[in-house]
Amino acid sequence: MDELDRKILRLLSADGRMTVKDIARQVSLTSPAVSERIRRMEKTGVIAGYTVVLGDAEPKSHIDALISISVAPADRQYFITMVENQPGVAQCFHVTGSHSFIVKVSCAGIHELEHLINRFQKLGQTSTQIILSAPVDRRFTLDVHEHGKDPV
């Protein structure tokens, strides 16, 4: 991956709907050359996919929360399978520290969140934080660094 690839990635991460023609103009390449670079990055997994980020146009009708849970090593695979199949689970992180996992959930209401917490508590101690807002949200910001080089 070279500097042109990184520039293409920065442009796409800022606007995933940018046309190949516009990208080509900004990186001083032909459209076919840009298309080939994008295809190569998709094939090698550098670009894993494209997504739509929904805005907050409508009032929030759900509760987002982070549930930290301590799961015994013998129950970890069962827990992972459970959260993979649990509606409302957005992400699950295996972490260091006082808990084994942190699960980000989006529930239709407080009763659904309580039900989910009760399910998790059957496997271990939990701690839950309800997300009020996201003053900084960089989920889709791309900081592209060359592999093997220190980003600092």
Side-chain angles (χ1 to χ4, degrees):
M1 198 162 84
D2 61 15
E3 186 55 39
L4 285 172
D5 287 340
R6 285 189 286 281
K7 190 168 184 182
I8 291 167
L9 289 173
R10 281 191 293 274
L11 291 168
L12 283 173
S13 68
D15 180 2
R17 294 184 56 160
M18 183 177 278
T19 66
V20 171
K21 184 177 177 181
D22 289 338
I23 295 169
R25 187 178 14 240
Q26 291 195 40
V27 298
S28 301
L29 289 175
T30 65
S31 291
V34 169
S35 291
E36 180 54 36
R37 284 173 176 265
I38 291 172
R39 243 187 319 275
R40 181 177 32 82
M41 288 188 283
E42 289 169 342
K43 187 176 182 178
T44 60
V46 173
I47 297 175
Y50 300 88
T51 189
V52 172
V53 179
L54 301 177
D56 292 329
E58 292 189 32
K60 198 171 182 179
S61 62
H62 61 278
I63 296 173
D64 293 329
L66 299 173
I67 303 172
S68 301
I69 181 168
S70 298
V71 178
D75 294 329
R76 285 187 180 154
Q77 191 53 53
Y78 173 79
F79 174 76
I80 291 169
T81 301
M82 181 177 77
V83 296
E84 283 177 337
N85 297 305
Q86 179 65 49
V89 170
Q91 292 176 293
C92 178
F93 304 97
H94 187 216
V95 297
T96 62
S98 59
H99 292 93
S100 321
F101 294 93
I102 297 176
V103 182
K104 183 176 181 184
V105 300
S106 185
C107 299
I110 197 73
H111 296 296
E112 186 178 310
L113 176 60
E114 182 180 21
H115 175 74
L116 193 53
I117 292 168
N118 289 337
R119 283 196 72 197
F120 288 176
Q121 286 176 337
K122 292 177 183 174
L123 291 174
Q125 181 180 356
T126 66
S127 173
T128 302
Q129 297 78 40
I130 293 176
I131 299 171
L132 301 176
S133 67
V136 176
D137 186 351
R138 293 191 178 126
R139 286 177 293 174
F140 301 104
T141 300
L142 183 59
D143 186 14
V144 181
H145 297 288
E146 203 170 325
H147 294 288
K149 287 193 176 179
D150 188 359
V152 177

